[in-house]
Amino acid sequence: MFSALRSLGRGSSVQRRQVWGLIFVLPTVIFFIIFFLYPIVSGLLFSLTDFTLLRPPVWVGLQNYQDLLKDRLFLKSLSVTMGYVVGTTVPVWVLSLLAALLFYQRFPGREFTKTLFFTPVLPSLIVVAIVWRILMQPNGLLTQLTRPFTGLGEVNWLSRPDLSPISMIIINNWTTIPFYMLIWLAGLTGIPSELRDAALVDGANRVQSFLRVELPLLRPTAVFVAAISSINAFQAFTLQWAISPGRGGPIDVNTTMGLLIWKYGFQFYRMGDAAAVSVVLFAMILVVTVFQLGLSRGEQYSLE
Amino acid sequence: MSRRLVLAVVALLLIVAMVPTVYGQGGPVTVKLWMHVHPPRVPLDEELIAQFEAENPDIDVEYTTVPDQEWDTALATALAGGGGPDLFNQATFAIGDFYNQGILAPVDPVAAGYADQQAILDAYAFGESLLAGAMFDGVLYGLPTELSAYGCYANNDLFEAAGLDPVADFPKTWEEMREVAEKLTIRDESGALVQRGFDFIWSNSIFMLLIFNPMVQQLGGDMIDEVNLVAHIDTPEVRQVMSYWNDWVNTWKLGGPQYELTRNAFLSGNLAMDCDMGNWGVPQVVDAGINYTLHPQPRWANAVNNNAMANYAYFFMVNANAAPEVQAAAWKLAGFLTSEPQRYFDVAGLFQSKKDFVESEYFQQNEIMPTFLADMGVSKYHPRIPAFFEVTDALMRGRDRIIVGGESMDVVLPEMEQEVNDILARAAGQ
């Protein structure tokens, strides 16, 4: 060891820098191996076993994956997850962009309003969930606010199979739109005002200026927002676990794949199946993210 | 010189390496004990463990408390890792899984301080039925730390406000329950429920086997045959109970899964009768300032069996993978910790039906416990099956398809039965 370091001391400066560089990145590499690579590989291996947690895993090859194809709960969770992803991405992209455009304008009290708008991001999702559960009591505040329009004394926001997933989407979007608004706002701020001014001088109106000049330049921001919001949506767990009736109900309309992994692994002692669902979810997120990143490599617009 | 030095170092290392082995062969046995976090019980546990260690210098106890919500995950992952506790305080719900997977060691009666297994059963009131929660094929796998069953609490003030006597008018049958609940229910001008008379607890799937199934059993049915691992769900008894629950929500509109959890509603004075708390609920009811009376569970007017709700319990269980001497030490500790039923009842509200405690004047004069014990004595444990939570999940899904989704029982009940039978068959094969 010491002789190696001594010989290192006699080596070229490039060699020395390379070795020291490796030494400096070693902690990160070790951290990555222990906390990322090892769990991923073991998850993959567990997905090929019959593992009840209570006794050692037994190798079953691809059996768990074959079983998933006819697993009613898994197939249901696939459709629930896809619905949730659509509901918590596309509206979030549009509404957060509109909010960013609004807060990009100058108006009295803008900073205060912006701060107020951002506050739903601050509490943890579990706190948000509990607050919304109270608001969504059958005769709670939300019902009272909508009573003039619906005429209903009670609305089962969380326990009606048709309404409950929409309620989850509303709660999620309430807390995520301000976050993505801030990302869009950062993107908008990075666009030089001269470009807008030039478009206006050339006869474009504000909408044309936005569509033809600003939006193309926001493409990297859009890809970032799309990727992060999609990943978060695919991994949905906390809200559904915390406030859906019976954790995923009613009738499994809120059983996302994330929740199913928890149920299979830690409630039903079916860790092999849970790992198989995790691998499928991982693959889905990977495909969607690669697709979205691929889009960003298309026609590039640069400020250079 | 250097060779001698090397030999000396090697010899020293060998001696050092042998020390733990020699010490381990004759030294103290360590018992890793895991308990749920129940703050009032912890100081008593610690006091008794210290006393046990003083009386048994050859046994060390590593005492760990785990929060309730983390218990299942923590225990399962610890056992999966090949470690985990030697002695743990486990609820009966998943005991079928634990037994099926070979995790549980049979009780060692002698180590626990009894002559034999029969002596343990004889030491408890209703021993045969109340210890049945940890009995498989005639062999006992646990010593109870807490026996529990649900009683019915009445809010006296809400009864009196409705012109009812909480003692005389408390419903004795499920048929009466509807009438009394209706009188205690208050709706606002829009028809929204402001106060419920009574409601079932809908939030957690386990209540399908703790409350729904006992109502089926009162009628002579049983959704789960735990011996043969077969489900009987498409039956007249299940239809009668399901119809009652369905009417409760959709026809009589007296409650439902959309409303506040019954226990919370009762404690906040918005529910007049609550039938899903054990004796452990008393301190909460008293703290909430509720003037209450306690009653037995209702039965059906045409009941065939006199059972109340399902019994459930927490038992000391010993890890079958622990070394034999550790298992013996663990049972000795379990026997010691279950020898103070009155102190655990006084300090932590935990009930162990030891005969000397139950027959004491202290217990007999207690205002509520004889009511609980009477219902427990005539009731059965919930089915102790493998895949317990998967089965309850399927039962709850079927319930919600009918009551929340409006599907026909003719369609749902046969499908529920098939689904549960599939789950049981798969679990039995593992």
Side-chain angles (χ1 to χ4, degrees):
Chain A
M1 175 70 179
F2 291 113
S3 62
L5 283 175
R6 272 200 297 275
S7 68
L8 179 65
R10 290 193 295 272
S12 73
S13 97
V14 173
Q15 277 178 323
R16 277 206 304 275
R17 287 177 61 187
Q18 282 175 343
V19 173
W20 280 112
L22 283 174
I23 290 171
F24 281 124
V25 298
L26 202 58
T28 307
V29 171
I30 292 171
F31 184 87
F32 177 80
I33 290 171
I34 294 174
F35 293 104
F36 291 87
L37 203 58
Y38 173 71
I40 289 171
V41 172
S42 19
L44 198 61
L45 291 175
F46 283 145
S47 76
L48 304 171
T49 65
D50 177 9
F51 185 24
T52 63
L53 273 182
L54 301 176
R55 65 181 179 196
V58 178
W59 185 265
V60 293
L62 294 172
Q63 187 63 47
N64 290 336
Y65 292 94
Q66 288 172 9
D67 292 346
L68 284 186
L69 295 175
K70 49 182 190 294
D71 184 326
R72 201 194 54 77
L73 261 182
F74 170 71
L75 297 174
K76 176 83 178 178
S77 78
L78 263 181
S79 65
V80 168
T81 304
M82 294 314 294
Y84 187 76
V85 168
V86 171
T88 56
T89 51
V90 180
V92 165
W93 302 341
V94 175
L95 292 173
S96 59
L97 177 58
L98 288 175
L101 288 171
L102 177 70
F103 286 114
Y104 191 64
Q105 312 302 316
R106 292 213 171 106
F107 58 87
R110 181 180 71 163
E111 293 309 311
F112 175 76
T113 319
K114 195 162 66 181
T115 307
L116 206 64
F117 186 76
F118 190 72
T119 48
V121 178
L122 302 178
S124 74
L125 197 52
I126 200 86
V127 174
V128 169
I130 291 166
V131 170
W132 274 91
R133 185 169 61 190
I134 295 167
L135 295 176
M136 286 181 161
Q137 287 288 316
N139 55 358
L141 185 64
L142 206 61
T143 303
Q144 287 168 27
L145 289 174
T146 54
R147 189 176 292 178
F149 311 104
T150 62
L152 297 171
E154 289 187 349
V155 179
N156 301 332
W157 300 100
L158 295 172
S159 60
R160 254 177 61 177
D162 54 346
L163 210 50
S164 191
I166 298 170
S167 300
M168 296 292 158
I169 288 170
I170 289 171
I171 299 169
N172 176 80
N173 292 1
W174 178 78
T175 186
T176 54
I177 284 173
F179 174 75
Y180 294 114
M181 177 274 291
L182 216 59
I183 307 286
W184 284 116
L185 207 51
L188 283 169
T189 313
I191 299 172
S193 58
E194 292 85 351
L195 291 174
R196 274 186 215 96
D197 295 340
L200 294 175
V201 167
D202 286 347
N205 59 31
R206 282 196 171 276
V207 175
Q208 286 171 324
S209 162
F210 173 72
L211 292 176
R212 300 283 175 82
V213 177
E214 293 165 69
L215 200 55
L217 290 170
L218 281 173
R219 179 179 247 177
T221 310
V223 169
F224 178 77
V225 168
I228 298 296
S229 60
S230 303
I231 291 170
N232 285 340
F234 273 111
Q235 293 177 334
F237 170 80
T238 310
L239 264 185
Q240 288 75 8
W241 182 86
I243 60 169
S244 68
R247 295 194 167 150
I251 324 174
D252 299 317
V253 295
N254 289 306
T255 303
T256 57
M257 292 172 78
L259 193 61
L260 188 68
I261 292 166
W262 171 78
K263 270 194 175 186
Y264 275 179
F266 297 109
Q267 228 189 351
F268 298 170
Y269 300 116
R270 290 170 55 185
M271 191 50 88
D273 293 315
V277 180
S278 308
V279 172
V280 173
L281 182 60
F282 175 75
M284 285 167 63
I285 293 174
L286 193 68
V287 167
V288 170
T289 308
V290 167
F291 175 72
Q292 287 169 338
L293 291 175
L295 283 181
S296 73
R297 292 207 185 92
E299 199 177 348
Q300 294 287 334
Y301 295 89
S302 168
L303 292 173
E304 296 299 319
Chain B
M1 178 67 184
S2 63
R3 184 174 292 174
R4 275 188 204 161
L5 186 65
V6 170
L7 283 172
V9 169
V10 169
L12 190 66
L13 286 174
L14 282 172
I15 291 166
V16 169
M18 283 167 67
V19 166
T21 314
V22 173
Y23 181 76
Q25 282 171 350
V29 170
T30 299
V31 176
K32 286 179 278 179
L33 165 64
W34 279 23
M35 302 289 277
H36 295 259
V37 170
H38 180 49
R41 194 200 55 218
V42 174
L44 181 54
D45 282 344
E46 288 171 341
E47 180 197 324
L48 291 176
I49 288 168
Q51 189 184 332
F52 177 80
E53 285 179 318
E55 291 173 12
N56 298 277
D58 56 333
I59 301 176
D60 285 337
V61 181
E62 277 181 18
Y63 176 62
T64 304
T65 56
V66 180
D68 259 354
Q69 60 273 28
E70 295 168 21
W71 177 267
D72 289 332
T73 310
L75 183 62
T77 45
L79 293 170
D86 305 308
L87 178 66
F88 51 99
N89 183 28
Q90 171 76 356
T92 44
F93 307 125
I95 194 171
D97 285 299
F98 279 66
Y99 171 71
N100 204 39
Q101 302 288 324
I103 295 291
L104 304 181
V107 173
D108 180 342
V110 176
Y114 297 87
D116 52 27
Q117 181 174 295
Q118 190 57 47
I120 300 175
L121 299 179
D122 292 342
Y124 287 83
F126 300 109
E128 296 285 346
S129 62
L130 292 185
L131 269 59
M135 188 91 84
F136 291 92
D137 294 329
V139 179
L140 189 62
Y141 286 86
L143 293 176
T145 59
E146 179 191 356
L147 299 164
S148 201
Y150 297 144
C152 286
Y153 292 76
N155 184 321
N156 297 344
D157 295 336
L158 298 184
F159 265 73
E160 284 158 14
L164 297 170
D165 181 334
V167 175
D169 294 326
F170 195 89
K172 292 179 179 54
T173 64
W174 291 113
E175 289 81 355
E176 288 175 10
M177 177 60 94
R178 180 202 160 188
E179 293 168 22
V180 177
E182 186 64 68
K183 289 175 187 165
L184 288 160
T185 299
I186 298 174
R187 298 178 176 86
D188 68 11
E189 67 282 357
S190 70
L193 284 178
V194 176
Q195 175 186 298
R196 281 172 289 168
F198 168 78
D199 204 355
F200 295 103
I201 185 163
W202 305 85
S203 60
N204 193 313
S205 63
I206 62 170
F207 298 114
M208 289 303 290
L209 289 180
L210 291 182
I211 292 177
F212 187 97
N213 193 42
M215 290 176 71
V216 174
Q217 289 169 329
Q218 288 177 357
L219 294 167
D222 196 340
M223 292 202 292
I224 309 289
D225 172 353
E226 73 169 14
V227 176
N228 298 304
L229 293 181
V230 177
H232 303 289
I233 294 171
D234 189 12
T235 65
E237 295 84 8
V238 173
R239 280 171 185 267
Q240 182 175 333
V241 178
M242 191 67 85
S243 295
Y244 186 83
W245 283 42
N246 193 19
D247 287 340
W248 192 269
V249 176
N250 295 313
T251 309
W252 308 325
K253 298 191 186 306
L254 293 168
Q258 65 271 35
Y259 297 106
E260 187 185 10
L261 186 71
T262 45
R263 292 166 183 170
N264 297 348
F266 184 79
L267 295 174
S268 57
N270 296 321
L271 180 73
M273 293 178 278
D274 183 86
C275 293
D276 52 45
M277 286 194 284
N279 66 287
W280 44 262
V282 171
Q284 299 171 58
V285 175
V286 171
D287 285 349
I290 289 172
N291 174 23
Y292 77 99
T293 45
L294 189 81
H295 305 269
Q297 293 281 351
R299 272 69 166 174
W300 293 101
N302 62 338
V304 175
N305 295 313
N306 186 36
N307 64 282
M309 298 298 105
N311 293 334
Y312 67 95
Y314 284 81
F315 280 85
F316 273 131
M317 300 177 198
V318 167
N319 188 342
N321 295 319
E325 67 273 17
V326 176
Q327 289 187 27
W331 284 124
K332 188 170 191 178
L333 175 61
F336 182 79
L337 291 175
T338 50
S339 64
E340 298 277 0
Q342 185 170 332
R343 292 189 71 192
Y344 274 103
F345 183 75
D346 270 347
V347 171
L350 305 176
F351 174 57
Q352 301 163 15
S353 71
K354 282 284 188 71
K355 270 184 185 158
D356 49 357
F357 172 53
V358 166
E359 288 164 2
S360 68
E361 196 179 330
Y362 171 86
F363 182 85
Q364 292 297 326
Q365 286 179 349
N366 187 291
E367 287 180 358
I368 59 158
M369 285 314 295
T371 304
F372 277 108
L373 186 59
D375 262 359
M376 269 189 219
V378 294
S379 301
K380 295 199 316 188
Y381 272 88
H382 57 80
R384 298 152 319 125
I385 46 176
F388 178 88
F389 291 109
E390 200 172 350
V391 167
T392 60
D393 197 63
L395 295 173
M396 182 170 170
R397 180 163 41 254
R399 179 201 76 186
D400 287 350
R401 283 176 64 190
I402 294 164
I403 295 174
V404 180
E407 289 188 61
S408 160
M409 275 196 277
D410 294 336
V411 173
V412 177
L413 293 184
E415 289 181 10
M416 266 172 89
E417 186 169 290
Q418 185 60 51
E419 185 179 358
V420 173
N421 275 326
D422 290 345
I423 293 167
L424 291 172
R426 198 199 60 243
Q430 280 181 332

